[in-house]
PDB file of all heavy atoms in Angstrom:
ATOM      1  N   TYR A 431     107.226 160.057 198.517  1.00  0.00           N
ATOM      2  CA  TYR A 431     107.611 158.683 198.159  1.00  0.00           C
ATOM      3  C   TYR A 431     106.428 157.960 197.502  1.00  0.00           C
ATOM      4  O   TYR A 431     106.714 157.180 196.483  1.00  0.00           O
ATOM      5  CB  TYR A 431     107.971 157.993 199.459  1.00  0.00           C
ATOM      6  CG  TYR A 431     108.532 156.658 199.162  1.00  0.00           C
ATOM      7  CD1 TYR A 431     109.428 156.345 198.116  1.00  0.00           C
ATOM      8  CD2 TYR A 431     108.253 155.532 200.060  1.00  0.00           C
ATOM      9  CE1 TYR A 431     109.850 154.999 197.946  1.00  0.00           C
ATOM     10  CE2 TYR A 431     108.801 154.210 199.817  1.00  0.00           C
ATOM     11  CZ  TYR A 431     109.597 154.098 198.771  1.00  0.00           C
ATOM     12  OH  TYR A 431     110.118 152.810 198.522  1.00  0.00           O
ATOM     13  N   ILE A 434     106.526 159.315 193.847  1.00  0.00           N
ATOM     14  CA  ILE A 434     107.799 158.896 193.098  1.00  0.00           C
ATOM     15  C   ILE A 434     107.922 157.437 192.848  1.00  0.00           C
ATOM     16  O   ILE A 434     108.446 156.972 191.868  1.00  0.00           O
ATOM     17  CB  ILE A 434     109.044 159.555 193.799  1.00  0.00           C
ATOM     18  CG1 ILE A 434     109.091 161.043 193.801  1.00  0.00           C
ATOM     19  CG2 ILE A 434     110.297 158.979 193.233  1.00  0.00           C
ATOM     20  CD1 ILE A 434     109.138 161.713 192.373  1.00  0.00           C
ATOM     21  N   VAL A 446     114.376 161.101 188.837  1.00  0.00           N
ATOM     22  CA  VAL A 446     113.256 160.329 189.620  1.00  0.00           C
ATOM     23  C   VAL A 446     113.741 159.221 190.279  1.00  0.00           C
ATOM     24  O   VAL A 446     113.508 158.983 191.497  1.00  0.00           O
ATOM     25  CB  VAL A 446     112.120 160.031 188.630  1.00  0.00           C
ATOM     26  CG1 VAL A 446     111.178 159.111 189.412  1.00  0.00           C
ATOM     27  CG2 VAL A 446     111.472 161.301 188.207  1.00  0.00           C
ATOM     28  N   GLY A 447     114.739 158.485 189.604  1.00  0.00           N
ATOM     29  CA  GLY A 447     115.321 157.195 190.272  1.00  0.00           C
ATOM     30  C   GLY A 447     116.125 157.470 191.523  1.00  0.00           C
ATOM     31  O   GLY A 447     116.075 156.769 192.465  1.00  0.00           O
ATOM     32  N   VAL A 448     116.933 158.597 191.429  1.00  0.00           N
ATOM     33  CA  VAL A 448     117.805 158.976 192.513  1.00  0.00           C
ATOM     34  C   VAL A 448     116.882 159.298 193.674  1.00  0.00           C
ATOM     35  O   VAL A 448     117.157 158.933 194.881  1.00  0.00           O
ATOM     36  CB  VAL A 448     118.758 160.119 192.160  1.00  0.00           C
ATOM     37  CG1 VAL A 448     119.440 160.709 193.471  1.00  0.00           C
ATOM     38  CG2 VAL A 448     119.814 159.604 191.243  1.00  0.00           C
ATOM     39  N   LEU A 449     115.868 160.140 193.459  1.00  0.00           N
ATOM     40  CA  LEU A 449     114.966 160.540 194.604  1.00  0.00           C
ATOM     41  C   LEU A 449     114.197 159.356 195.167  1.00  0.00           C
ATOM     42  O   LEU A 449     113.955 159.308 196.394  1.00  0.00           O
ATOM     43  CB  LEU A 449     113.966 161.642 194.024  1.00  0.00           C
ATOM     44  CG  LEU A 449     113.041 162.161 195.111  1.00  0.00           C
ATOM     45  CD1 LEU A 449     113.761 162.762 196.246  1.00  0.00           C
ATOM     46  CD2 LEU A 449     112.164 163.341 194.503  1.00  0.00           C
ATOM     47  N   ALA A 450     113.709 158.450 194.259  1.00  0.00           N
ATOM     48  CA  ALA A 450     113.112 157.221 194.758  1.00  0.00           C
ATOM     49  C   ALA A 450     113.972 156.520 195.630  1.00  0.00           C
ATOM     50  O   ALA A 450     113.575 156.004 196.777  1.00  0.00           O
ATOM     51  CB  ALA A 450     112.686 156.472 193.588  1.00  0.00           C
ATOM     52  N   GLY A 451     115.293 156.384 195.279  1.00  0.00           N
ATOM     53  CA  GLY A 451     116.238 155.709 196.098  1.00  0.00           C
ATOM     54  C   GLY A 451     116.478 156.299 197.466  1.00  0.00           C
ATOM     55  O   GLY A 451     116.476 155.672 198.473  1.00  0.00           O
ATOM     56  N   GLN A 452     116.558 157.615 197.509  1.00  0.00           N
ATOM     57  CA  GLN A 452     116.800 158.376 198.731  1.00  0.00           C
ATOM     58  C   GLN A 452     115.529 158.114 199.636  1.00  0.00           C
ATOM     59  O   GLN A 452     115.707 157.849 200.873  1.00  0.00           O
ATOM     60  CB  GLN A 452     116.944 159.852 198.425  1.00  0.00           C
ATOM     61  CG  GLN A 452     118.270 160.130 197.777  1.00  0.00           C
ATOM     62  CD  GLN A 452     118.350 161.559 197.371  1.00  0.00           C
ATOM     63  OE1 GLN A 452     117.425 162.247 197.223  1.00  0.00           O
ATOM     64  NE2 GLN A 452     119.558 161.998 197.342  1.00  0.00           N
ATOM     65  N   LEU A 453     114.383 158.371 199.034  1.00  0.00           N
ATOM     66  CA  LEU A 453     113.241 158.262 199.918  1.00  0.00           C
ATOM     67  C   LEU A 453     112.864 156.821 200.346  1.00  0.00           C
ATOM     68  O   LEU A 453     112.348 156.654 201.398  1.00  0.00           O
ATOM     69  CB  LEU A 453     111.866 158.720 198.998  1.00  0.00           C
ATOM     70  CG  LEU A 453     112.054 160.248 198.725  1.00  0.00           C
ATOM     71  CD1 LEU A 453     110.827 160.701 197.837  1.00  0.00           C
ATOM     72  CD2 LEU A 453     112.017 161.161 199.963  1.00  0.00           C
ATOM     73  N   ALA A 454     113.248 155.811 199.627  1.00  0.00           N
ATOM     74  CA  ALA A 454     113.105 154.463 200.000  1.00  0.00           C
ATOM     75  C   ALA A 454     113.923 154.171 201.186  1.00  0.00           C
ATOM     76  O   ALA A 454     113.395 153.515 202.172  1.00  0.00           O
ATOM     77  CB  ALA A 454     113.351 153.578 198.844  1.00  0.00           C
ATOM     78  N   ILE A 455     115.188 154.590 201.128  1.00  0.00           N
ATOM     79  CA  ILE A 455     116.029 154.349 202.262  1.00  0.00           C
ATOM     80  C   ILE A 455     115.557 155.135 203.454  1.00  0.00           C
ATOM     81  O   ILE A 455     115.544 154.418 204.605  1.00  0.00           O
ATOM     82  CB  ILE A 455     117.414 154.805 201.957  1.00  0.00           C
ATOM     83  CG1 ILE A 455     118.099 153.944 200.853  1.00  0.00           C
ATOM     84  CG2 ILE A 455     118.341 154.812 203.125  1.00  0.00           C
ATOM     85  CD1 ILE A 455     119.407 154.424 200.158  1.00  0.00           C
ATOM     86  N   GLN A 456     114.968 156.312 203.387  1.00  0.00           N
ATOM     87  CA  GLN A 456     114.512 156.974 204.533  1.00  0.00           C
ATOM     88  C   GLN A 456     113.284 156.349 205.024  1.00  0.00           C
ATOM     89  O   GLN A 456     112.988 156.418 206.290  1.00  0.00           O
ATOM     90  CB  GLN A 456     114.106 158.498 204.017  1.00  0.00           C
ATOM     91  CG  GLN A 456     115.257 159.332 203.749  1.00  0.00           C
ATOM     92  CD  GLN A 456     114.791 160.686 203.333  1.00  0.00           C
ATOM     93  OE1 GLN A 456     113.648 161.234 203.644  1.00  0.00           O
ATOM     94  NE2 GLN A 456     115.649 161.488 202.758  1.00  0.00           N
ATOM     95  N   GLU A 459     113.245 151.157 203.619  1.00  0.00           N
ATOM     96  CA  GLU A 459     113.297 150.079 202.594  1.00  0.00           C
ATOM     97  C   GLU A 459     114.617 150.175 201.800  1.00  0.00           C
ATOM     98  O   GLU A 459     114.726 150.502 200.592  1.00  0.00           O
ATOM     99  CB  GLU A 459     112.157 150.276 201.591  1.00  0.00           C
ATOM    100  CG  GLU A 459     110.725 150.202 202.293  1.00  0.00           C
ATOM    101  CD  GLU A 459     109.600 150.631 201.361  1.00  0.00           C
ATOM    102  OE1 GLU A 459     109.952 150.816 200.144  1.00  0.00           O
ATOM    103  OE2 GLU A 459     108.512 150.703 201.745  1.00  0.00           O
ATOM    104  N   PRO A 460     115.740 149.729 202.460  1.00  0.00           N
ATOM    105  CA  PRO A 460     117.107 149.971 201.870  1.00  0.00           C
ATOM    106  C   PRO A 460     117.299 149.086 200.607  1.00  0.00           C
ATOM    107  O   PRO A 460     117.958 149.627 199.637  1.00  0.00           O
ATOM    108  CB  PRO A 460     118.098 149.479 202.995  1.00  0.00           C
ATOM    109  CG  PRO A 460     117.139 148.638 203.946  1.00  0.00           C
ATOM    110  CD  PRO A 460     115.832 149.177 203.912  1.00  0.00           C
ATOM    111  N   GLU A 462     115.253 148.150 198.289  1.00  0.00           N
ATOM    112  CA  GLU A 462     114.534 148.884 197.166  1.00  0.00           C
ATOM    113  C   GLU A 462     115.173 150.153 196.864  1.00  0.00           C
ATOM    114  O   GLU A 462     115.310 150.440 195.660  1.00  0.00           O
ATOM    115  CB  GLU A 462     113.044 149.074 197.574  1.00  0.00           C
ATOM    116  CG  GLU A 462     112.181 149.491 196.243  1.00  0.00           C
ATOM    117  CD  GLU A 462     110.722 149.125 196.514  1.00  0.00           C
ATOM    118  OE1 GLU A 462     110.230 149.110 197.649  1.00  0.00           O
ATOM    119  OE2 GLU A 462     110.057 149.124 195.396  1.00  0.00           O
ATOM    120  N   GLY A 463     115.585 150.874 197.914  1.00  0.00           N
ATOM    121  CA  GLY A 463     116.395 152.119 197.587  1.00  0.00           C
ATOM    122  C   GLY A 463     117.629 151.867 196.815  1.00  0.00           C
ATOM    123  O   GLY A 463     117.867 152.616 195.889  1.00  0.00           O
ATOM    124  N   ILE A 464     118.351 150.838 197.195  1.00  0.00           N
ATOM    125  CA  ILE A 464     119.550 150.591 196.401  1.00  0.00           C
ATOM    126  C   ILE A 464     119.330 150.158 194.981  1.00  0.00           C
ATOM    127  O   ILE A 464     120.040 150.549 194.087  1.00  0.00           O
ATOM    128  CB  ILE A 464     120.406 149.526 197.080  1.00  0.00           C
ATOM    129  CG1 ILE A 464     120.950 149.974 198.478  1.00  0.00           C
ATOM    130  CG2 ILE A 464     121.623 148.930 196.274  1.00  0.00           C
ATOM    131  CD1 ILE A 464     121.585 149.022 199.408  1.00  0.00           C
ATOM    132  N   PHE A 466     116.744 151.135 193.227  1.00  0.00           N
ATOM    133  CA  PHE A 466     116.349 152.431 192.513  1.00  0.00           C
ATOM    134  C   PHE A 466     117.576 153.159 192.060  1.00  0.00           C
ATOM    135  O   PHE A 466     117.743 153.706 190.948  1.00  0.00           O
ATOM    136  CB  PHE A 466     115.471 153.321 193.340  1.00  0.00           C
ATOM    137  CG  PHE A 466     114.059 152.811 193.494  1.00  0.00           C
ATOM    138  CD1 PHE A 466     113.357 152.999 194.679  1.00  0.00           C
ATOM    139  CD2 PHE A 466     113.391 152.074 192.396  1.00  0.00           C
ATOM    140  CE1 PHE A 466     112.074 152.586 194.846  1.00  0.00           C
ATOM    141  CE2 PHE A 466     112.182 151.601 192.612  1.00  0.00           C
ATOM    142  CZ  PHE A 466     111.458 151.878 193.760  1.00  0.00           C
ATOM    143  N   LEU A 467     118.611 153.350 193.060  1.00  0.00           N
ATOM    144  CA  LEU A 467     119.704 154.077 192.821  1.00  0.00           C
ATOM    145  C   LEU A 467     120.653 153.412 191.688  1.00  0.00           C
ATOM    146  O   LEU A 467     121.255 154.097 190.844  1.00  0.00           O
ATOM    147  CB  LEU A 467     120.573 154.317 194.139  1.00  0.00           C
ATOM    148  CG  LEU A 467     119.923 155.140 195.150  1.00  0.00           C
ATOM    149  CD1 LEU A 467     120.663 155.093 196.518  1.00  0.00           C
ATOM    150  CD2 LEU A 467     119.900 156.545 194.705  1.00  0.00           C
TER     151      LEU A 467
END
Side-chain angles (χ1 to χ4, degrees):
Y431 186 38
I434 294 297
V446 170
V448 170
L449 181 55
Q452 293 174 333
L453 293 175
I455 292 169
Q456 289 178 21
E459 301 176 4
E462 191 155 24
I464 291 169
F466 287 147
L467 290 170

